[in-house]
Amino acid sequence: MNILEENPERFFHGTVRLEHEGGRFHPLRFTAGQVAHYDSRNEALAVRVRCQAGQTVEFATDSSTVAVSGTAGTGARDYFSLDLEVDDYVSHPVFAEPAPLGDVAFTVWRQSEHEKRRMRRFCVHLPHVRKFALRSVEIEDGAVVEPIPPRGLKLLCLGDSITQGMQARHPSNSYPSLLARWLGAELLNLGVGGDVFDSRSLDRSLPFHPDVVTVAFGANDWHQNLDRDAVARNVSLYVETLRSMYRPGDVRIVVVSPIWAVDWAERRAGGTLAEFGRAIRDAAAAVEGVCAVDGFLLVPHDRRCFVDGLHPNDEGFALYAGGLMGVLQTLIR
């Protein structure tokens, strides 16, 4: 029985809109206006906004099997991974490198013959760095199935490739997904690899009303040789636009400057990455009700926490999330 055949929207989390074409469901985390904006900038961004970072399919069922099928498309990295939580226990049933292209099907869970049949909560984490159009989420015919309602706390994460989760081997290990799980929050991950502080990417019609917003850009701005005055102007415009979308007392905004990278001491137009990050924090903190966090304090300055000297590995992402978790817990008390 395919649970997506009737009212499929009720099972998707972290999804702004759901398109249905050719028997496949395309869950999207951006508005049509935002997608058009990224499409107009370059082809790489157009692919990345269509990846399912932070999106999940969640339900409770007494089925003894769960299977997922769909069409794997292009992406930002050449690996494909899909994670599963069963009653909050996370497993990684699907990982393929190189990534497949075309129709795929996976049995992601099968009840042990020694286990008693009962209702369990399932959360399927969709691929974060590849496009994936779902055809079905199959359970046994006649099994009971119920959608998991949205969580009360709403977390919106804005940022670049690190926010999207690039180089995390598993989608549930990106720092936004970890934060959402630890906070018990509903997540909308709007991270886009290659993105910068660009206020045009914000959309007031976004149908998601957050309690907490994290903003983490800067590495690409630095590599594009912006000077500190230029990035400060861009940060101010971005954060002021974001602040104007939400009332200060209702929504907490946290701006995180870039984390450490192996080339951090290289001098560019904006100085070193540490100096550039300070300019970002100063500009963000000047906006009322905004908390600025030094990203250099979140992840150890150790190559072993990184895949390529810039993007954290799964251990680095856990450290990033752990450091930011303390800040968010203080803000939402």
Side-chain angles (χ1 to χ4, degrees):
M1 178 172 68
N2 180 9
I3 69 171
L4 302 182
E5 287 184 348
E6 186 175 347
N7 300 324
E9 294 86 357
R10 60 194 172 136
F11 296 108
F12 285 87
H13 294 246
T15 299
V16 165
R17 55 201 177 96
L18 188 63
E19 295 182 350
H20 187 214
E21 181 181 1
R24 296 172 179 82
F25 297 93
H26 302 264
L28 297 166
R29 53 200 171 103
F30 292 88
T31 66
Q34 288 175 307
V35 170
H37 168 71
Y38 285 109
D39 284 351
S40 71
R41 286 175 58 187
N42 63 61
E43 185 177 349
L45 294 176
V47 169
R48 292 166 184 182
V49 297
R50 290 172 171 84
C51 297
Q52 282 78 44
Q55 296 189 74
T56 57
V57 178
E58 302 188 32
F59 53 95
T61 183
D62 63 350
S63 177
S64 62
T65 60
V66 175
V68 176
S69 71
T71 302
T74 56
R77 294 292 186 271
D78 194 21
Y79 59 89
F80 178 100
S81 52
L82 185 150
D83 294 347
L84 180 70
E85 286 183 62
V86 182
D87 290 338
D88 298 324
Y89 175 79
V90 182
S91 63
H92 311 296
V94 179
F95 182 86
E97 187 176 22
L101 284 172
D103 292 341
V104 293
F106 311 100
T107 297
V108 295
W109 187 79
R110 189 182 301 277
Q111 179 181 297
S112 166
E113 62 182 20
H114 303 295
E115 291 182 291
K116 183 179 179 180
R117 188 183 185 106
R118 61 178 176 84
M119 291 292 286
R120 294 178 171 87
R121 289 179 293 111
F122 291 84
C123 174
V124 180
H125 292 261
L126 300 177
H128 59 312
V129 294
R130 305 290 296 186
K131 293 189 289 185
F132 184 53
L134 275 164
R135 181 184 299 107
S136 68
V137 176
E138 296 279 350
I139 62 174
E140 289 178 312
D141 288 343
V144 176
V145 63
E146 301 169 353
I148 301 297
R151 296 157 188 84
L153 184 69
K154 304 293 192 296
L155 172 65
L156 171 61
C157 293
L158 302 159
D160 51 30
S161 56
I162 294 175
T163 300
Q164 184 171 345
M166 285 189 193
Q167 302 301 16
R169 302 299 270 177
H170 305 287
S172 63
N173 285 347
S174 71
Y175 82 80
S177 291
L178 290 171
L179 285 174
R181 188 156 70 248
W182 295 344
L183 290 168
E186 193 75 9
L187 171 66
L188 181 60
N189 183 338
L190 296 190
V192 183
D195 207 1
V196 296
F197 281 103
D198 178 5
S199 62
R200 297 171 300 173
S201 67
L202 297 170
D203 188 344
R204 294 179 184 275
S205 69
L206 184 72
F208 187 81
H209 305 288
D211 299 291
V212 180
V213 181
T214 64
V215 180
F217 298 101
N220 295 307
D221 309 70
W222 184 63
H223 281 103
Q224 291 177 11
N225 268 328
L226 265 68
D227 62 37
R228 278 170 277 180
D229 288 340
V231 78
R233 288 192 297 270
N234 292 347
V235 171
S236 295
L237 181 57
Y238 187 96
V239 177
E240 287 170 358
T241 302
L242 185 63
R243 177 77 285 169
S244 72
M245 293 167 60
Y246 308 111
R247 293 194 301 179
D250 295 340
V251 179
R252 299 154 184 86
I253 297 176
V254 178
V255 175
V256 183
S257 59
I259 62 174
W260 179 86
V262 294
D263 61 351
W264 74 273
E266 181 179 322
R267 286 212 158 268
R268 295 177 174 268
T272 67
L273 185 57
E275 293 167 340
F276 197 74
R278 189 177 306 115
I280 289 172
R281 294 194 304 278
D282 289 346
V287 180
E288 179 188 1
V290 173
C291 173
V293 175
D294 185 353
F296 267 48
L297 302 178
L298 297 180
V299 182
H301 303 182
D302 186 334
R303 287 175 179 266
R304 291 174 296 180
C305 295
F306 294 81
V307 174
D308 53 10
L310 173 64
H311 298 89
N313 54 26
D314 285 20
E315 179 184 358
F317 272 114
L319 292 165
Y320 189 136
L324 197 51
M325 180 73 173
V327 176
L328 300 187
Q329 284 180 316
T330 300
L331 290 176
I332 63 180
R333 281 176 184 165

